[in-house]
Each structure stands twice: as structure tokens, then as C-alpha cells.
């Protein structure tokens, strides 16, 4: 599988969809769908994320590569597939902001990694708290671009606490990259620097909840 992963990484970096599809088909001949996802797609996406963090890839490449992978996975693991990792119950949202590219990338990478994630789009604090309670979430991922939006995470946490909801909050976006301690100040449980961080966080929380 390691050789296939290396080839898939190259195909995704160059946005070669036909090659990526062919390599995924080869992986499916050797392993079950979820094993192929975890053994082939996830490592390739992690490598791409690392390269973006080092400034070696453009954000647009990461987005398009993750979309290719998301579509490949959905063919063999549709949302209703029992193999999908539906726990912990999880949603992602843009909080009080209008910049959704970061959220889209994280959502695609999570789904391409086999996780089921609800897409809340854009919400304000009160609406978000109501929705989290109604959906009985265990994990909420919040994406922001502006500092004013990042500071509203504190109100989300307070609102959930007031409703007796113990929900793990993961945050990401520019304000949290500029201030490495901001996530703690607003009451989040963790901060992800990129989409692959988000996958690692959710995977860890999933294992801890078992």
C-alpha cells in the first residue's frame, strides 16, 4: 500500500483525477473500502497537508485534492454505508463569518477519511447552540477568519454549558494561527492548524469515547 500511497500523493498534487481513480481502484482490489481509505487516501492527504504547512502547495491544490478524494470515497462509502465512522456525532460550521473555504477543505478531508460530518454552513451563536443541542452532538468544529468571530466561540461554549451540553469544540482559522493560546481563552478543547489536524483530533476523540 505504501507504493500506491506515494503514487496517489503525486496524482493528487498534480490534480490528476483519472490517475487517482485508477490507484484507488487498485487499492480496493487489495482491501475493503474502509481499509483502502485509511491505508491509502488518509496518508496521502496527510502528506499534502504537511506540504501545504511548509508552503510547498497552494491552498487551492489542497481543496481540489480533498474534493477528488471525497468523491472517490463517496462512491464506495455513501453516507448511509455502515462502514462510515458516524461516531462521535460531529458537525462543522462557519461562525459569524463569510469565508467558507477553510471549512470546505476540512469537511472534504474528514469525509474523505471516512467520517460522517454534518455541514451547518454559516451560523450565529444562538442558532448554533440550539442546533448543537437538537442534534445531540459530541464534537463541533468551528472555522473562522476574523478575530471578532473567533471571540464568539466563548459565547458558544457558555451557551452549551448553560444547556448542560458537554460538547468538544475544535477550532481553526487565521486568528488561532496568529495567537497560539487563543483557543484556550475562548473555551475550545483543541485547535487544528490544518485539515489533517482535524482528522487526527476527531480520530483521537473517537477512540477515547469507545
Amino acid at each position: 500500500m505504501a507504493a500506491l500511497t506515494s503514487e496517489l500523493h503525486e496524482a493528487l498534487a498534480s490534480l490528476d483525477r483519472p490517475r487517482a481513480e485508477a490507484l484507488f481502484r487498485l487499492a480496493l482490489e487489495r482491501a475493503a473500502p474502509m481499509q483502502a481509505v485509511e491505508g491509502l487516501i488518509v496518508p496521502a492527504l496527510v502528506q499534502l497537508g504537511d506540504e501545504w504547512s511548509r508552503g510547498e502547495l497552494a491552498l487551492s491544490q489542497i481543496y481540489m485534492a480533498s474534493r477528488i478524494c471525497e468523491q472517490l470515497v463517496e462512491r464506495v462509502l455513501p453516507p448511509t454505508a455502515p462502514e462510515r465512522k458516524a461516531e462521535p456525532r460531529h458537525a462543522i460550521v462557519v461562525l459569524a463569518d463569510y469565508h467558507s473555504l477553510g471549512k470546505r477543505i476540512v469537511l472534504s478531508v474528514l469525509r474523505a477519511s471516512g467520517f460522517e460530518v454534518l455541514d451547518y454552513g454559516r451560523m450565529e451563536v444562538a442558532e448554533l447552540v440550539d442546533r448543537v443541542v437538537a442534534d445531540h452532538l459530541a464534537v463541533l468544529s468551528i472555522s473562522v477568519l476574523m478575530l471578532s468571530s473567533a471571540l464568539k466561540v466563548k459565547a458558544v461554549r457558555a451557551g452549551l454549558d448553560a444547556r448542560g451540553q458537554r460538547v468538544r469544540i475544535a477550532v481553526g482559522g487565521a486568528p488561532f494561527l496568529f495567537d497560539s493560546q487563543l483557543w484556550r481563552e475562548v473555551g475550545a478543547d483543541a485547535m487544528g492548524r490544518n485539515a489533517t489536524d482535524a482528522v487526527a483530533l476527531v480520530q483521537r476523540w473517537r477512540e477515547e469515547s469507545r
Side-chain angles (χ1 to χ4, degrees), residues 14-36:
S14 60
L15 304 181
D16 186 344
R17 182 187 296 268
R19 182 61 179 156
E21 291 175 345
L23 291 166
F24 190 49
R25 284 196 299 270
L26 281 175
L28 290 172
E29 292 174 4
R30 304 177 186 181
M34 185 54 74
Q35 292 174 320

mmCIF file of all heavy atoms in Angstrom, residues 14-36:
data_model
loop_
_atom_site.group_PDB
_atom_site.id
_atom_site.type_symbol
_atom_site.label_atom_id
_atom_site.label_comp_id
_atom_site.label_asym_id
_atom_site.label_seq_id
_atom_site.Cartn_x
_atom_site.Cartn_y
_atom_site.Cartn_z
ATOM 1 N N SER A 14 -0.810 16.892 -8.441
ATOM 2 C CA SER A 14 -0.937 17.405 -9.805
ATOM 3 C C SER A 14 -2.392 17.446 -10.272
ATOM 4 O O SER A 14 -2.668 17.747 -11.436
ATOM 5 C CB SER A 14 -0.108 16.553 -10.771
ATOM 6 O OG SER A 14 -0.547 15.207 -10.752
ATOM 7 N N LEU A 15 -3.308 17.110 -9.350
ATOM 8 C CA LEU A 15 -4.749 17.109 -9.627
ATOM 9 C C LEU A 15 -5.103 16.214 -10.813
ATOM 10 O O LEU A 15 -5.959 16.537 -11.644
ATOM 11 C CB LEU A 15 -5.250 18.546 -9.863
ATOM 12 C CG LEU A 15 -4.950 19.534 -8.727
ATOM 13 C CD1 LEU A 15 -5.509 20.917 -9.050
ATOM 14 C CD2 LEU A 15 -5.509 19.029 -7.407
ATOM 15 N N ASP A 16 -4.443 15.066 -10.869
ATOM 16 C CA ASP A 16 -4.680 14.085 -11.931
ATOM 17 C C ASP A 16 -5.781 13.120 -11.473
ATOM 18 O O ASP A 16 -5.512 12.066 -10.908
ATOM 19 C CB ASP A 16 -3.379 13.321 -12.217
ATOM 20 C CG ASP A 16 -3.487 12.389 -13.410
ATOM 21 O OD1 ASP A 16 -4.616 12.091 -13.841
ATOM 22 O OD2 ASP A 16 -2.431 11.934 -13.901
ATOM 23 N N ARG A 17 -7.033 13.506 -11.713
ATOM 24 C CA ARG A 17 -8.172 12.719 -11.245
ATOM 25 C C ARG A 17 -8.196 11.299 -11.829
ATOM 26 O O ARG A 17 -8.400 10.340 -11.074
ATOM 27 C CB ARG A 17 -9.481 13.443 -11.562
ATOM 28 C CG ARG A 17 -10.722 12.708 -11.064
ATOM 29 C CD ARG A 17 -11.974 13.396 -11.550
ATOM 30 N NE ARG A 17 -12.092 14.722 -11.006
ATOM 31 C CZ ARG A 17 -12.735 15.009 -9.875
ATOM 32 N NH1 ARG A 17 -13.309 14.032 -9.189
ATOM 33 N NH2 ARG A 17 -12.816 16.246 -9.445
ATOM 34 N N PRO A 18 -8.003 11.107 -13.145
ATOM 35 C CA PRO A 18 -8.038 9.737 -13.682
ATOM 36 C C PRO A 18 -7.002 8.826 -13.020
ATOM 37 O O PRO A 18 -7.295 7.660 -12.732
ATOM 38 C CB PRO A 18 -7.744 9.935 -15.172
ATOM 39 C CG PRO A 18 -8.223 11.318 -15.464
ATOM 40 C CD PRO A 18 -7.886 12.101 -14.233
ATOM 41 N N ARG A 19 -5.792 9.354 -12.784
ATOM 42 C CA ARG A 19 -4.759 8.543 -12.131
ATOM 43 C C ARG A 19 -5.156 8.223 -10.698
ATOM 44 O O ARG A 19 -4.970 7.084 -10.222
ATOM 45 C CB ARG A 19 -3.422 9.288 -12.164
ATOM 46 C CG ARG A 19 -2.258 8.518 -11.550
ATOM 47 C CD ARG A 19 -2.002 7.216 -12.269
ATOM 48 N NE ARG A 19 -0.883 6.493 -11.713
ATOM 49 C CZ ARG A 19 -0.706 5.178 -11.822
ATOM 50 N NH1 ARG A 19 -1.613 4.437 -12.466
ATOM 51 N NH2 ARG A 19 0.348 4.596 -11.301
ATOM 52 N N ALA A 20 -5.711 9.200 -9.997
ATOM 53 C CA ALA A 20 -6.144 8.967 -8.624
ATOM 54 C C ALA A 20 -7.237 7.901 -8.580
ATOM 55 O O ALA A 20 -7.231 7.018 -7.708
ATOM 56 C CB ALA A 20 -6.647 10.267 -8.002
ATOM 57 N N GLU A 21 -8.160 7.958 -9.499
ATOM 58 C CA GLU A 21 -9.233 6.970 -9.552
ATOM 59 C C GLU A 21 -8.679 5.572 -9.817
ATOM 60 O O GLU A 21 -9.103 4.595 -9.189
ATOM 61 C CB GLU A 21 -10.236 7.347 -10.639
ATOM 62 C CG GLU A 21 -11.043 8.606 -10.318
ATOM 63 C CD GLU A 21 -11.945 9.025 -11.457
ATOM 64 O OE1 GLU A 21 -11.749 8.516 -12.595
ATOM 65 O OE2 GLU A 21 -12.851 9.855 -11.224
ATOM 66 N N ALA A 22 -7.718 5.480 -10.724
ATOM 67 C CA ALA A 22 -7.130 4.179 -11.050
ATOM 68 C C ALA A 22 -6.393 3.593 -9.846
ATOM 69 O O ALA A 22 -6.492 2.386 -9.565
ATOM 70 C CB ALA A 22 -6.179 4.321 -12.235
ATOM 71 N N LEU A 23 -5.675 4.433 -9.125
ATOM 72 C CA LEU A 23 -4.938 3.954 -7.953
ATOM 73 C C LEU A 23 -5.891 3.512 -6.842
ATOM 74 O O LEU A 23 -5.639 2.509 -6.162
ATOM 75 C CB LEU A 23 -4.012 5.059 -7.444
ATOM 76 C CG LEU A 23 -2.827 5.395 -8.359
ATOM 77 C CD1 LEU A 23 -2.180 6.703 -7.938
ATOM 78 C CD2 LEU A 23 -1.802 4.264 -8.349
ATOM 79 N N PHE A 24 -6.982 4.225 -6.671
ATOM 80 C CA PHE A 24 -7.955 3.836 -5.648
ATOM 81 C C PHE A 24 -8.617 2.511 -6.016
ATOM 82 O O PHE A 24 -8.869 1.671 -5.149
ATOM 83 C CB PHE A 24 -8.990 4.942 -5.477
ATOM 84 C CG PHE A 24 -9.886 4.745 -4.284
ATOM 85 C CD1 PHE A 24 -9.359 4.447 -3.035
ATOM 86 C CD2 PHE A 24 -11.260 4.876 -4.404
ATOM 87 C CE1 PHE A 24 -10.188 4.272 -1.924
ATOM 88 C CE2 PHE A 24 -12.089 4.704 -3.307
ATOM 89 C CZ PHE A 24 -11.554 4.394 -2.071
ATOM 90 N N ARG A 25 -8.862 2.305 -7.301
ATOM 91 C CA ARG A 25 -9.430 1.018 -7.741
ATOM 92 C C ARG A 25 -8.472 -0.128 -7.421
ATOM 93 O O ARG A 25 -8.886 -1.208 -6.988
ATOM 94 C CB ARG A 25 -9.742 1.047 -9.239
ATOM 95 C CG ARG A 25 -10.999 1.824 -9.599
ATOM 96 C CD ARG A 25 -11.478 1.495 -10.997
ATOM 97 N NE ARG A 25 -10.479 1.829 -12.010
ATOM 98 C CZ ARG A 25 -10.403 3.018 -12.613
ATOM 99 N NH1 ARG A 25 -11.260 3.981 -12.285
ATOM 100 N NH2 ARG A 25 -9.484 3.260 -13.526
ATOM 101 N N LEU A 26 -7.185 0.113 -7.619
ATOM 102 C CA LEU A 26 -6.190 -0.910 -7.286
ATOM 103 C C LEU A 26 -6.218 -1.226 -5.793
ATOM 104 O O LEU A 26 -6.139 -2.387 -5.380
ATOM 105 C CB LEU A 26 -4.785 -0.440 -7.682
ATOM 106 C CG LEU A 26 -4.391 -0.551 -9.148
ATOM 107 C CD1 LEU A 26 -3.013 0.065 -9.369
ATOM 108 C CD2 LEU A 26 -4.401 -2.001 -9.600
ATOM 109 N N ALA A 27 -6.328 -0.180 -4.984
ATOM 110 C CA ALA A 27 -6.383 -0.390 -3.534
ATOM 111 C C ALA A 27 -7.615 -1.191 -3.144
ATOM 112 O O ALA A 27 -7.552 -2.056 -2.261
ATOM 113 C CB ALA A 27 -6.373 0.955 -2.820
ATOM 114 N N LEU A 28 -8.722 -0.948 -3.813
ATOM 115 C CA LEU A 28 -9.968 -1.662 -3.500
ATOM 116 C C LEU A 28 -9.894 -3.132 -3.895
ATOM 117 O O LEU A 28 -10.632 -3.959 -3.353
ATOM 118 C CB LEU A 28 -11.150 -0.988 -4.207
ATOM 119 C CG LEU A 28 -11.544 0.393 -3.664
ATOM 120 C CD1 LEU A 28 -12.587 1.032 -4.569
ATOM 121 C CD2 LEU A 28 -12.061 0.281 -2.242
ATOM 122 N N GLU A 29 -9.009 -3.460 -4.828
ATOM 123 C CA GLU A 29 -8.805 -4.869 -5.191
ATOM 124 C C GLU A 29 -8.035 -5.609 -4.110
ATOM 125 O O GLU A 29 -8.095 -6.832 -4.026
ATOM 126 C CB GLU A 29 -8.042 -4.958 -6.516
ATOM 127 C CG GLU A 29 -8.844 -4.457 -7.723
ATOM 128 C CD GLU A 29 -8.009 -4.427 -8.987
ATOM 129 O OE1 GLU A 29 -6.827 -4.866 -8.936
ATOM 130 O OE2 GLU A 29 -8.517 -3.970 -10.021
ATOM 131 N N ARG A 30 -7.330 -4.867 -3.267
ATOM 132 C CA ARG A 30 -6.472 -5.476 -2.254
ATOM 133 C C ARG A 30 -7.053 -5.373 -0.837
ATOM 134 O O ARG A 30 -6.593 -6.069 0.068
ATOM 135 C CB ARG A 30 -5.105 -4.794 -2.259
ATOM 136 C CG ARG A 30 -4.405 -4.819 -3.604
ATOM 137 C CD ARG A 30 -3.084 -4.064 -3.545
ATOM 138 N NE ARG A 30 -2.458 -3.956 -4.847
ATOM 139 C CZ ARG A 30 -1.293 -3.359 -5.086
ATOM 140 N NH1 ARG A 30 -0.636 -2.820 -4.070
ATOM 141 N NH2 ARG A 30 -0.797 -3.295 -6.299
ATOM 142 N N ALA A 31 -8.021 -4.483 -0.649
ATOM 143 C CA ALA A 31 -8.520 -4.252 0.710
ATOM 144 C C ALA A 31 -9.988 -3.842 0.670
ATOM 145 O O ALA A 31 -10.508 -3.415 -0.365
ATOM 146 C CB ALA A 31 -7.694 -3.158 1.389
ATOM 147 N N ALA A 32 -10.642 -3.959 1.818
ATOM 148 C CA ALA A 32 -12.023 -3.499 1.962
ATOM 149 C C ALA A 32 -12.050 -1.975 1.842
ATOM 150 O O ALA A 32 -11.027 -1.314 2.047
ATOM 151 C CB ALA A 32 -12.574 -3.933 3.315
ATOM 152 N N PRO A 33 -13.212 -1.405 1.507
ATOM 153 C CA PRO A 33 -13.275 0.050 1.289
ATOM 154 C C PRO A 33 -12.686 0.890 2.418
ATOM 155 O O PRO A 33 -11.873 1.781 2.171
ATOM 156 C CB PRO A 33 -14.776 0.300 1.116
ATOM 157 C CG PRO A 33 -15.288 -0.955 0.503
ATOM 158 C CD PRO A 33 -14.498 -2.054 1.163
ATOM 159 N N MET A 34 -13.081 0.646 3.668
ATOM 160 C CA MET A 34 -12.562 1.469 4.749
ATOM 161 C C MET A 34 -11.067 1.267 4.943
ATOM 162 O O MET A 34 -10.331 2.210 5.244
ATOM 163 C CB MET A 34 -13.296 1.179 6.063
ATOM 164 C CG MET A 34 -12.875 2.087 7.212
ATOM 165 S SD MET A 34 -13.005 3.875 6.832
ATOM 166 C CE MET A 34 -14.786 4.078 6.899
ATOM 167 N N GLN A 35 -10.577 0.057 4.732
ATOM 168 C CA GLN A 35 -9.135 -0.186 4.827
ATOM 169 C C GLN A 35 -8.400 0.564 3.728
ATOM 170 O O GLN A 35 -7.302 1.085 3.954
ATOM 171 C CB GLN A 35 -8.849 -1.681 4.735
ATOM 172 C CG GLN A 35 -9.342 -2.477 5.938
ATOM 173 C CD GLN A 35 -9.161 -3.967 5.741
ATOM 174 O OE1 GLN A 35 -9.378 -4.497 4.644
ATOM 175 N NE2 GLN A 35 -8.772 -4.667 6.800
ATOM 176 N N ALA A 36 -8.999 0.623 2.540
ATOM 177 C CA ALA A 36 -8.380 1.355 1.437
ATOM 178 C C ALA A 36 -8.338 2.846 1.735
ATOM 179 O O ALA A 36 -7.351 3.534 1.446
ATOM 180 C CB ALA A 36 -9.138 1.092 0.136
#
